[in-house]
Amino acid sequence: MIYATVNGIPMKRVELNTNYQTPTARLTFTHPYSTDLDIGTTVVANIINDRGETRTMKMFTGRVKSIIRRRPENIYEFMAQDILTYAVEHWFVPTDVSEPSFARSNINHLRLTKDLLNAAQIPDLDIIDDWTPYPTFQFATGPEPVKVNISSAWDVISGICAVTGMHVYADANNKVHLSRIWDEAGTVISRCLTTGNNGNMKTVEYIRSDENLRNKVEVFGREGIHKTASAVSPYVPAGFYKTLIISYEMIDTDDMAQETADINLPRVNKLTESCIVETLGDTSISARNTVSIIDSAAGISGNWFVYQTTHRIDAQGGYTVRMTAKR
């Protein structure tokens, strides 16, 4: 039997949503009676597999954000989010409009991200990758510092991510990581998913589209800084460009603007292939993983980057994972 617990209490239904494009993971769970869980309570969700040897897998750590009581079912529904919700909710608001509420000078993107998270009461940051092979972006090298006013910590961090190609996320233990995770398939395979009588995929949809294709990137920075990167695409008419605009006040040198354009162009100058898959429950699948998907009938094979997952465990349907993967 597979079931889920929250703070050691078995739950009627648990659903965990993770998404590459959103900062926080979201957990919802229902229980047939009230518990001592309240707004702000720290919760830990585990998946328990007691088929044979009992195994426990932690799936989420976070804090309760809302509680709904549903009638006439008389059940309680809780929603919790992970630690990065602090970065979303922490706003820099000046006490004096003439002075910035957050300012830094001559600081690289790694240190700047740490400082922004610290300001939001997120104390630690794990920098996963060795940054040596990649450009280190140095902000505010001139007389003007990085200034933040009337903005959330996450808004600033997401802007830094767009410029540098880095990614910030929290894991199941509420540990925040910074990594070079791109929205494309990597070499680490979390799982091989297949259809057929012996496969683990229940349904699969395959989509191929040029909706997100951009073969030109225009980058605008401070005081008239403007750089471009472009390439020929076989999917648009000759001489025609679909353009991505990146405008960010913290880009304060021509070199930074050009590096931003060059980093982003390969990401967007391609068709989007998507697989929407429902599979048997698998705790190893989460957003930012790379999985192998094989569906011979649809001609699908190869590695895919997992954009979004929904893990659902309930008494009626058992344990399933619905995911969107792209490449």
Side-chain angles (χ1 to χ4, degrees), residues 1-3 48-56:
M1 180 179 179
I2 297 177
Y3 61 97
I48 312 297
N49 186 344
D50 61 3
R51 294 171 179 168
E53 181 182 352
T54 300
R55 293 178 295 167
T56 301

Side-chain angles (χ1 to χ4, degrees), residues 296-325:
S296 56
I300 300 170
S301 64
N303 298 341
W304 297 74
F305 181 85
V306 180
Y307 249 70
Q308 180 178 359
T309 64
T310 299
H311 291 252
R312 183 178 292 111
I313 305 171
D314 59 49
Q316 290 75 35
Y319 177 24
T320 60
V321 181
R322 184 173 176 83
M323 74 173 190
T324 299

Side-chain angles (χ1 to χ4, degrees), residues 123-166:
D124 201 7
L125 174 66
D126 179 29
I127 300 175
I128 294 177
D129 300 320
D130 175 12
W131 216 265
T132 305
Y134 310 113
T136 298
F137 289 77
Q138 199 76 13
F139 290 97
T141 56
E144 283 292 316
V146 171
K147 297 178 182 179
V148 181
N149 267 339
I150 315 180
S151 179
S152 75
W154 184 256
D155 286 340
V156 183
I157 291 170
S158 61
I160 297 170
C161 290
V163 170
T164 63
M166 72 180 191

Side-chain angles (χ1 to χ4, degrees), residues 243-255:
T243 304
L244 169 68
I245 302 293
I246 297 175
S247 179
Y248 198 53
E249 188 68 17
M250 287 170 56
I251 297 174
D252 57 1
T253 68
D254 288 335
D255 287 345

Side-chain angles (χ1 to χ4, degrees), residues 237-307:
F240 182 81
Y241 292 96
K242 296 179 68 175
T243 304
L244 169 68
I245 302 293
I246 297 175
S247 179
Y248 198 53
E249 188 68 17
M250 287 170 56
I251 297 174
D252 57 1
T253 68
D254 288 335
D255 287 345
M256 188 184 297
Q258 192 62 62
E259 286 175 349
T260 300
D262 293 342
I263 283 173
N264 280 279
L265 181 63
R267 297 179 63 198
V268 295
N269 185 29
K270 60 182 181 180
L271 296 180
T272 299
E273 294 181 273
S274 303
C275 264
I276 302 174
V277 172
E278 184 173 354
T279 182
L280 302 178
D282 190 332
T283 57
S284 70
I285 299 174
S286 65
R288 305 170 192 89
N289 289 160
T290 294
V291 298
S292 174
I293 299 177
I294 301 172
D295 182 5
S296 56
I300 300 170
S301 64
N303 298 341
W304 297 74
F305 181 85
V306 180
Y307 249 70

